[in-house]
Amino acid sequence: MSAVESRLVGPVRVVGVGLLGTSIALGLRARGVDVILSDASPTNVSIAIDYGAGRRAGDADEPQLIVVCVPPDVTASVIVRELSAYPRAVVTDVASVKKPVLDAVAAAGGDLSRYVGSHPLAGREKGGPMSGRADLFVGRPWVVAGHEGISYQAAAAVDDLILDLGATLVEMTAEEHDTSVALISHAPQVISTLMARRLIDAPAAAVGLAGGGVRDVTRIAASDPALWVQILGANAAPTASVLRALRDDLDEVIGALESSGASDTAWRRTVAEALAAGNAGVERLPGKHGQDRRYAQLVVMVDDAPGELARLFAEVGEEGVNLEDLRLEHSPGAQIGLAELSVLPETVDKLTAALAARGWRIAG
Amino acid sequence: MSAVESRLVGPVRVVGVGLLGTSIALGLRARGVDVILSDASPTNVSIAIDYGAGRRAGDADEPQLIVVCVPPDVTASVIVRELSAYPRAVVTDVASVKKPVLDAVAAAGGDLSRYVGSHPLAGREKGGPMSGRADLFVGRPWVVAGHEGISYQAAAAVDDLILDLGATLVEMTAEEHDTSVALISHAPQVISTLMARRLIDAPAAAVGLAGGGVRDVTRIAASDPALWVQILGANAAPTASVLRALRDDLDEVIGALESSGASDTAWRRTVAEALAAGNAGVERLPGKHGQDRRYAQLVVMVDDAPGELARLFAEVGEEGVNLEDLRLEHSPGAQIGLAELSVLPETVDKLTAALAARGWRIAG
């Protein structure tokens, strides 16, 4: 957190002190902002207060900004209630779907000149106030779903909030937001879930052969069903649109595989084109994992003993090399793990030689 | 590698010195086995010999065991050729599909009493002899696809090979193998590919919102299309069977999402059941990532500066704690990375306190 003082004059009222609400409150408190906490659960409010996230609401509160962090299915009604209860406050929310919320607030007669929806692309697998952390949003995108009814001045308070929390402000319309998250979050969730579902009745011998690939594909299938039913329901049309296109591609691949015994080789072209298109698609993802070409990798074998991985990283540090990324691979039952280090290409030869000279087994 | 002497009397002839062949050869050489290298590419043979993987074939060679490590589409014909050229040798192969190979060898009149197919579940994203490493198979499953025509004595040489290389022998029929890998490898490849394909035409703003979830789901979409066309073609029927079941589930979810505006809530039950089934499926995966409950996690914030991550791991080591798993999360543009350390539950409180006392910011 930077020590720069917040431009928010406060107080900021946070409604809903789960993971996101508590994290927002903690981040604002770290900037010295007066934070008021509210939640349907008095227990959650008490926990969040003990956690240092803010104070209880008082009758004389005049919040500058209200951040609604409640579950998606009640977000719109809470926004409308807050707009009405605090007629001078700007209200935003952090729900992961934006158009249905905006429409519902408008339909209920909420004052749109003081409401602008937003969505921080941040989260953790663990929920609840105890999982909150002041730095949850640092460096993460935070979408502001602007609309024509919001005044520049009102929107500025939300911009200040995002700046305070160290996130990167991304402006798009509610529709653009919803189609974007359908593609990069909601459809992948469904696909991961459905792949994982196939494993339920698999023989133990089959799942015993599983490697890193299927683990990666199915990791987010462990997400909370109750939350995701709400998210998928709220963004049903854009998500279904992505899934229909994927289903058409899947039908094509299934058809190609079913005809792979035939004498003509059209099936082969279909499957190869799909695989090549997948290559091209994954290249579009930003970030370190999506741009591994920027770094060189080396793989070091590490005995599965206390301190061994620590010693490796200590010695990488002594060589003055910064790790850009890191993957640890460890097979069940193996006495040896593999640490894949990603470093700047100009450092890899030097580091490889140095680690080998220190006795490390370089596996690639 | 253990120093135990190999039970193979050798020589072992390795046909095809790509990643797998070279790794097998290196592993056997480390056990003192006489290894003969053969490849359609004289350049590859020279590289592998320079790499220490073995020697060139001679006219008087009498290999005990031949390991065929060529691309899937020529595996069966090379096996038949080797069975014929070396009438006293046992032959195995490492192709990732087993039933079509066995059938093709039988159809071509190959001597099945000396052939047994196998499949090491190991690999790397990089191919070629230079990527080979003696320890590639340590702790990984290695399937032997037994059949009734193979003699116990012949199969024993393949068992010795697997033992030598430190892998875990898994016995199943060729059919069981192919349906297993269709489920845990080939179908996930197709699904990851098709999800990644959807990203091709996405606006830059949309892919800019991508987080760890979609990255994990699409990581293996970066795999080599030429290789995967062969694998999928060779295991078309079992893979199509998994994909059809997944497609039916997908149709159900799409239908549910399309009817989510309706007054009845049947859609909600359908989606919730799919998500819960995904939870249950992912729980079946073995290994550290699939059993995170065995470990406790803590997240430490690390400045993106040389030596910082190294310092963290050095200090974890000084506290005497063994890292069981590790994830590094680093958002584009952020000056801070998050290192999620997985440790034994009984050590997490002590380690958290110790790292905090050393000045580390614990993020959860």
Side-chain angles (χ1 to χ4, degrees):
Chain A
M1 295 270 114
S2 157
V4 174
E5 203 176 322
S6 174
R7 287 196 297 175
L8 288 165
V9 293
V12 174
R13 176 174 155 89
V14 174
V15 183
V17 289
L19 167 65
L20 295 179
T22 304
S23 296
I24 290 168
L26 288 169
L28 292 175
R29 290 297 304 134
R31 292 295 199 101
V33 177
D34 178 20
V35 177
I36 302 159
L37 302 174
S38 170
D39 195 290
S41 155
T43 307
N44 277 357
V45 172
S46 297
I47 292 172
I49 290 172
D50 289 348
Y51 212 49
R55 64 170 172 90
R56 251 172 250 283
D59 288 343
D61 289 334
E62 282 274 6
Q64 176 199 9
L65 176 66
I66 298 170
V67 188
V68 174
C69 307
V70 298
D73 57 349
V74 293
T75 297
S77 62
V78 172
I79 292 167
V80 171
R81 184 192 76 196
E82 295 287 321
L83 283 167
S84 169
Y86 298 94
R88 296 172 60 184
V90 173
V91 178
T92 190
D93 72 295
V94 297
S96 51
V97 179
K98 299 272 57 99
K99 185 71 166 63
V101 174
L102 179 62
D103 289 349
V105 172
D111 179 359
L112 292 185
S113 75
R114 294 186 290 117
Y115 165 72
V116 62
S118 75
H119 178 209
L121 277 290
R124 304 181 61 199
E125 280 153 37
K126 285 185 282 189
M130 292 301 289
S131 300
R133 58 180 209 237
D135 304 89
L136 186 67
F137 309 102
V138 172
R140 296 296 308 156
W142 190 320
V143 175
V144 174
H147 59 85
E148 294 190 356
I150 181 86
S151 72
Y152 176 80
Q153 194 179 11
V158 179
D159 293 0
D160 290 343
L161 170 76
I162 294 170
L163 185 70
D164 272 8
L165 297 172
T168 304
L169 195 154
V170 178
E171 282 191 59
M172 41 176 82
T173 66
E175 293 87 342
E176 286 168 347
H177 170 272
D178 291 356
T179 57
S180 295
V181 294
L183 179 63
I184 58 96
S185 172
H186 304 173
Q189 176 63 54
V190 171
I191 289 306
S192 178
T193 286
L194 296 182
M195 186 65 242
R197 183 181 203 169
R198 293 289 100 222
L199 302 173
I200 291 184
D201 298 321
V207 294
L209 303 182
V214 66
R215 279 194 198 123
D216 281 350
V217 173
T218 59
R219 184 180 64 81
I220 56 172
S223 298
D224 177 22
L227 175 64
W228 274 94
V229 166
Q230 291 188 32
I231 294 173
L232 294 172
N235 205 25
T239 304
S241 171
V242 177
L243 294 176
R244 278 192 300 268
L246 196 154
R247 192 254 325 268
D248 292 347
D249 290 346
L250 180 56
D251 279 336
E252 200 175 64
V253 170
I254 290 171
L257 292 176
E258 285 171 342
S259 67
S260 68
S263 55
D264 83 290
T265 57
W267 74 270
R268 184 182 292 270
R269 193 169 57 249
T270 300
V271 173
E273 282 173 3
L275 290 160
N279 283 180
V282 77
E283 295 251 341
R284 296 219 49 216
L285 289 176
K288 296 199 170 185
H289 284 95
Q291 301 182 338
D292 270 347
R293 273 165 205 75
R294 295 187 301 158
Y295 303 111
Q297 279 79 36
L298 78 161
V299 179
V300 183
M301 304 185 58
V302 182
D303 286 339
D304 188 20
E308 276 301 285
L309 198 62
R311 186 167 68 85
L312 171 63
F313 288 107
E315 300 190 3
V316 171
E318 287 168 20
E319 297 296 334
V321 174
N322 191 23
L323 289 184
E324 300 295 335
D325 203 353
L326 177 57
R327 290 182 73 89
L328 193 69
E329 186 187 313
H330 190 291
S331 302
Q335 293 308 304
I336 284 174
L338 300 173
E340 183 185 84
L341 316 182
S342 290
V343 298
L344 289 174
E346 57 268 31
T347 65
V348 70
D349 288 342
K350 169 179 168 281
L351 181 62
T352 303
L355 291 178
R358 285 168 179 265
W360 291 100
R361 285 169 293 173
I362 309 299
Chain B
M1 293 271 114
S2 157
V4 174
E5 204 177 322
S6 174
R7 287 196 297 176
L8 287 166
V9 293
V12 174
R13 176 174 156 88
V14 174
V15 183
V17 289
L19 166 65
L20 294 179
T22 304
S23 296
I24 289 168
L26 289 169
L28 292 175
R29 290 296 304 133
R31 293 296 199 102
V33 177
D34 178 20
V35 177
I36 302 159
L37 302 174
S38 170
D39 195 290
S41 155
T43 307
N44 277 358
V45 172
S46 297
I47 292 171
I49 290 171
D50 289 348
Y51 212 48
R55 64 173 172 89
R56 250 173 249 284
D59 288 343
D61 288 334
E62 281 276 3
Q64 175 199 11
L65 175 66
I66 298 170
V67 189
V68 174
C69 307
V70 299
D73 56 350
V74 292
T75 297
S77 62
V78 173
I79 292 167
V80 172
R81 185 191 76 196
E82 296 287 321
L83 283 167
S84 168
Y86 298 95
R88 297 172 59 183
V90 173
V91 178
T92 189
D93 71 296
V94 297
S96 52
V97 179
K98 300 271 58 97
K99 185 70 166 62
V101 174
L102 179 63
D103 289 349
V105 172
D111 179 358
L112 292 185
S113 75
R114 294 186 290 118
Y115 165 71
V116 62
S118 75
H119 178 209
L121 278 289
R124 305 180 60 198
E125 280 153 37
K126 286 185 282 189
M130 292 300 289
S131 299
R133 58 178 208 237
D135 303 89
L136 186 66
F137 310 101
V138 173
R140 296 296 307 158
W142 189 320
V143 175
V144 174
H147 58 85
E148 295 190 355
I150 181 85
S151 71
Y152 175 80
Q153 193 178 11
V158 178
D159 293 359
D160 290 343
L161 169 76
I162 295 170
L163 185 70
D164 272 8
L165 296 171
T168 303
L169 195 154
V170 178
E171 283 190 58
M172 40 176 83
T173 66
E175 292 88 341
E176 285 168 348
H177 170 272
D178 291 356
T179 56
S180 294
V181 293
L183 178 65
I184 60 95
S185 173
H186 305 173
Q189 176 62 53
V190 171
I191 289 307
S192 179
T193 286
L194 296 182
M195 185 66 241
R197 184 182 203 167
R198 293 290 100 223
L199 301 173
I200 290 184
D201 298 320
V207 293
L209 303 183
V214 67
R215 280 195 196 122
D216 280 351
V217 173
T218 60
R219 186 180 62 82
I220 56 172
S223 298
D224 177 23
L227 175 65
W228 275 94
V229 166
Q230 290 188 33
I231 294 173
L232 294 172
N235 205 26
T239 305
S241 170
V242 177
L243 294 176
R244 277 192 302 267
L246 196 154
R247 193 254 326 268
D248 293 346
D249 290 345
L250 180 56
D251 278 336
E252 200 176 64
V253 170
I254 290 171
L257 292 176
E258 285 171 343
S259 68
S260 68
S263 55
D264 83 291
T265 57
W267 74 269
R268 185 181 291 271
R269 192 169 58 248
T270 300
V271 173
E273 282 173 3
L275 290 160
N279 283 180
V282 77
E283 295 250 341
R284 296 220 48 216
L285 290 176
K288 295 199 171 185
H289 284 94
Q291 301 182 338
D292 270 348
R293 274 164 206 76
R294 294 188 300 159
Y295 303 110
Q297 280 79 36
L298 78 162
V299 178
V300 183
M301 305 185 59
V302 183
D303 286 339
D304 189 19
E308 277 302 286
L309 199 60
R311 186 167 67 84
L312 171 63
F313 288 107
E315 299 190 4
V316 172
E318 287 168 20
E319 296 297 333
V321 174
N322 192 24
L323 289 184
E324 299 295 335
D325 203 354
L326 178 56
R327 291 182 72 90
L328 193 69
E329 185 188 315
H330 190 289
S331 302
Q335 294 308 304
I336 284 175
L338 300 173
E340 183 185 85
L341 316 182
S342 290
V343 298
L344 289 174
E346 58 267 31
T347 65
V348 70
D349 289 342
K350 169 179 168 281
L351 181 62
T352 303
L355 290 177
R358 286 168 178 266
W360 292 99
R361 287 168 291 174
I362 309 299

